[in-house]
């Protein structure tokens, strides 16, 4: 019986460890205008996709919103400028800005180097989770990018 109890404790610990890791896995959704939102609970990290960063070329400036500012889905929250062009950036969902990526002030090239890691623009407190269902998943976004090429 002691052996079974020991195995049960070990199995439970492994399950809890795996389950706790799932909590930290983020879902990523996309807009047709090439923004992404990495969702972790009620917080979404927003930036532009690799596809958009590649199309822009070398990013030289990023205009970010103020912490505390609120947006509705589709609102322009800033802009990104490259050696080729300048473009507005749009909020994928409604929310309040919790944090902006200050590293982009001194190193806007992070948008090109690592758009999903160091090149994110802002973190939002998502005010309407149902809006996420209107966004594209990875497969739909890839198809959208393929369709844009033609």
């Amino acid at each position: 019986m002691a052996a079974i109890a020991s195995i049960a404790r070990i199995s439970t610990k492994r399950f809890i460890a795996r389950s706790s890791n799932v909590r930290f896995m983020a879902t990523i959704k996309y807009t047709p205008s090439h923004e992404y939102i990495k969702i972790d609970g009620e917080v979404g990290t927003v930036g532009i996709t690799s596809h958009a960063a590649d199309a822009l070329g070398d990013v030289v400036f990023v205009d970010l919103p103020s912490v505390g500012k609120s947006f509705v889905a589709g609102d322009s929250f800033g802009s990104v400028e490259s050696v080729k062009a300048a473009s507005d950036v749009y909020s994928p969902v409604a929310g309040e800005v919790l944090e902006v990526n200050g590293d982009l002030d001194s190193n806007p090239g992070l948008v090109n180097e690592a758009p999903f890691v160091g090149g994110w623009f802002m973190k939002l407190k998502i005010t309407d989770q149902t809006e996420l269902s209107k966004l594209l998943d990875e497969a739909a976004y890839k198809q959208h990018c393929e369709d844009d090429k033609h």
Side-chain angles (χ1 to χ4, degrees):
M1 285 300 231
I4 293 173
S6 177
I7 291 170
R9 278 194 301 272
I10 291 169
S11 295
T12 302
K13 286 179 184 175
R14 286 184 185 151
F15 175 77
I16 290 169
R18 285 190 205 132
S19 298
S20 65
N21 288 339
V22 170
R23 190 171 14 149
F24 297 106
M25 292 178 60
T27 300
I28 300 176
K29 296 281 196 165
Y30 305 87
T31 67
S33 56
H34 306 289
E35 290 85 13
Y36 71 82
I37 182 166
K38 195 172 3 173
I39 306 140
D40 189 5
E42 294 182 352
V43 176
T45 302
V46 178
I48 62 170
T49 64
S50 301
H51 179 85
D54 290 346
L56 282 168
D58 293 336
V59 173
V60 295
F61 177 75
V62 179
D63 180 33
L64 299 172
S66 302
V67 171
K69 185 147 175 136
S70 292
F71 296 98
V72 298
D75 276 355
S76 174
F77 69 81
S79 62
V80 59
E81 296 178 18
S82 72
V83 294
K84 291 183 186 177
S87 179
D88 283 341
V89 188
Y90 303 95
S91 184
V93 296
E96 178 185 341
V97 179
L98 299 174
E99 183 180 350
V100 294
N101 187 352
D103 292 341
L104 297 180
D105 289 338
S106 60
N107 190 3
L110 288 171
V111 174
N112 298 105
E113 295 166 21
F116 292 94
V117 182
W120 58 274
F121 290 8
M122 67 174 175
K123 293 189 180 189
L124 283 178
K125 180 173 191 242
I126 302 168
T127 56
D128 185 357
Q129 293 274 335
T130 63
E131 291 179 338
L132 296 169
S133 66
K134 298 174 187 171
L135 300 175
L136 306 172
D137 63 14
E138 184 176 3
Y141 179 70
K142 284 182 180 179
Q143 185 61 52
H144 171 72
C145 292
E146 284 298 314
D147 293 347
D148 269 359
K149 289 181 184 177
H150 300 110

